[in-house]
Each structure stands twice: as C-alpha cells, then as structure tokens.
Amino acid sequence: MQVITSVCEMQDICKTYYRAGKTIGFVPTMGYLHEGHLALMKEARKENDIVIVSVFVNPLQFGPNEDFESYPRDVKRDEELANELGVDYFFLPSIDAIYPEPLNTKLVAERRVNALCGRKREGHFDGVVTVLTKLFNIVFPDHVYMGLKDAQQVAVVQGLVDDYYIPTKIVPVATVREADGLAKSSRNVYLNDNERKLAPKLYESLQKAERLVKNGERNPETVLTLVKDELAKINADIDYVEIYAYPTFEILEKLTGKIVLALAVKFSQARLIDNIIIDVSEVCRNVSYNDEC
Ligand code: AMP
C-alpha cells in the first residue's frame, strides 16, 4: 500500500489507471477506522482492480460548535488497518492541499437536506458535497462505497452524482453494528461506561418500530411516538426522531414505499445517529396487508 499526500500525485496515479481501463473503488472516510469502514473496504476490494481509501477530516462539514478539533484521529493505526485489508492507496491530504485558498465556486446541497442532520447541522451537507466533488475529481472512482449508517449522506451524494453526471456508482453498504446492536461509529469512544450501556437502546427502539410497521402500522406519528417513548426509558436527550420517504426525504402522511426512520441522540460528549430503512411495499407483499398497499 502506498501512502499519498499530494493531490497532483494521487490524481496522476488515478488518471493512469483510468486510462488503462482499471476499475477504481473508492472509500472516503474521516479516519479513526472501525469495522464499519472496513466493511466498505472489503466490498471495494471484491469489486475493483484498485482500492483507494482517503482519510480527511473535512472542516467544511463541521459547524462552529461541533467537534472538528476533538474529532478522534489515529492515522498510523488507520494506515495499518487499510494495509491489512489489501488497500492499494491510502490518500491522506492536508487541509491546505484540499482547500489551498477560498473557493471560487461553492456547492450547496438543495434537496434531501431539509430533514435530520441536514436541518440540525446547517451547512453540513454543503461541506460533504464540496469535499466529495473534489475527491471524485482526484480519484476518478468507478465505485464509491458509502455506509447506510449515514443514510441521508448516501441520498444527498446520490443526488450530486445524478445532477452532475459524475461517472461513478454509489454503492450503499449496510450498517455494521456491535454485538449489542449499537452502530459502529468513530464517535462511540466519547461515550462513558454508563452511556455505552444505554446506547444500544437507539437501535432497539428502531427495531421495535420496524416490527410495528411490519405488523401493519402505517401512521408515521404512531411509529415516532413509539421510538420516543422507548428513548424516554433511558432519559435520552433526543435531537430528532423523524420518518421520511427514502431517498427523497419527502414528508409522508402515511407510510408507503421505501421509508427511513432515523434518530439522533445527544450524550454528554457525543451525538450519535442511527436509522433503519424499511421497504413498506415489500412488507406488504410478505405479510399481505393488501388493503394497505
Ligand atoms: P466517516 O469516517 O464517519 O465519515 O465515515 C466514512 C464512511 O464510513 C461513510 O460512508 C460512513 O457512512 C461509513 N460508516 C461509518 N460507520 C459505519 C458503520 N457502522 N457501518 C457501515 N458504514 C459506516
């Protein structure tokens, strides 16, 4: 595995592969790698000639009161893990390399962002689409691997790729979880012992809601109330619990089609997110709630 810090060098390498007809699989990350990231890399390794992983904590996607400075970092360990997984290139640009001067042209995420983290973290997805557009133009990926743990991010980036005919395929990868259901996240290290014990309740409440939907519940409010009641049992400081059509993030009067049920909960030092995507039409076919379909 080669470690590359220069944008020009990374771009030259990728250009050569692209021209030679080699497929490039790309996994953009902010580092502090865990098994969620590794799952993306494994997928990439299976499906591409060349695998590139980037580690870049993107200041543009953090708000002024967010955790950019304290975001966990351990590049040496990240490098080792990527190397063990058979990654070809570990791209590690500096902030100055990615943002050498103020942008001449700004990108703004317009749709799919008026919900969840898009609404709670102003400018967050503008930062995400900006950095990914830059990275895509450096790496020329055939496939980009992204985790459904950040389902809104996948939807927003799919929108970017569609809008601008970016010649890449976004490959969504299922959320990797701890044995007790907690979604793996770099931010889990912020949890104290007690919070760590309570945190599996997030996924548990989503699963309860999923069962409710699978048993025929179609009223979004009823489902949201169930999740909030479950979270109240651990006195969770709820940032949001919301439900939308996926991937459009349109508001639903009645649950139908593909839906995303998502939550964000604040702990003392961490804000954790999780979600579950349910295909209600599939549920209908399987359970045959015909009048609901
Ligand atoms: P991050 O380093 O948090 O920006 O994440 C980099 C990529 O890894 C994103 O596409 C995330 O959605 C994905 N990811 C993070 N956590 C998980 C997880 N638990 N399971 C699957 N993918 C994940």
Side-chain angles (χ1 to χ4, degrees), residues 109-121 125 152 156 242-244 248-251:
E110 280 287 353
R111 300 181 71 202
R112 306 181 173 190
V113 293
N114 195 22
L116 312 183
C117 294
R119 204 152 47 77
K120 291 285 177 176
R121 302 180 65 188
F125 285 114
Q152 190 174 21
V156 169
E242 297 173 23
I243 200 162
Y244 296 100
T248 58
F249 283 88
E250 277 157 12
I251 293 169

Side-chain angles (χ1 to χ4, degrees), residues 28-30 34 36-37 40 71 146-147 149-150 174-176 184:
T29 81
M30 297 203 300
H34 53 67
H37 299 112
L40 308 186
Y71 193 83
M146 303 189 74
K149 152 101 182 339
D150 302 284
T175 302
V176 176
K184 301 240 183 196

Side-chain angles (χ1 to χ4, degrees), residues 2 64 78 88 130 135 165 179 226:
Q2 275 191 56
D78 291 346
D88 298 295
T130 301
L135 292 170
Y165 312 110
L226 174 109

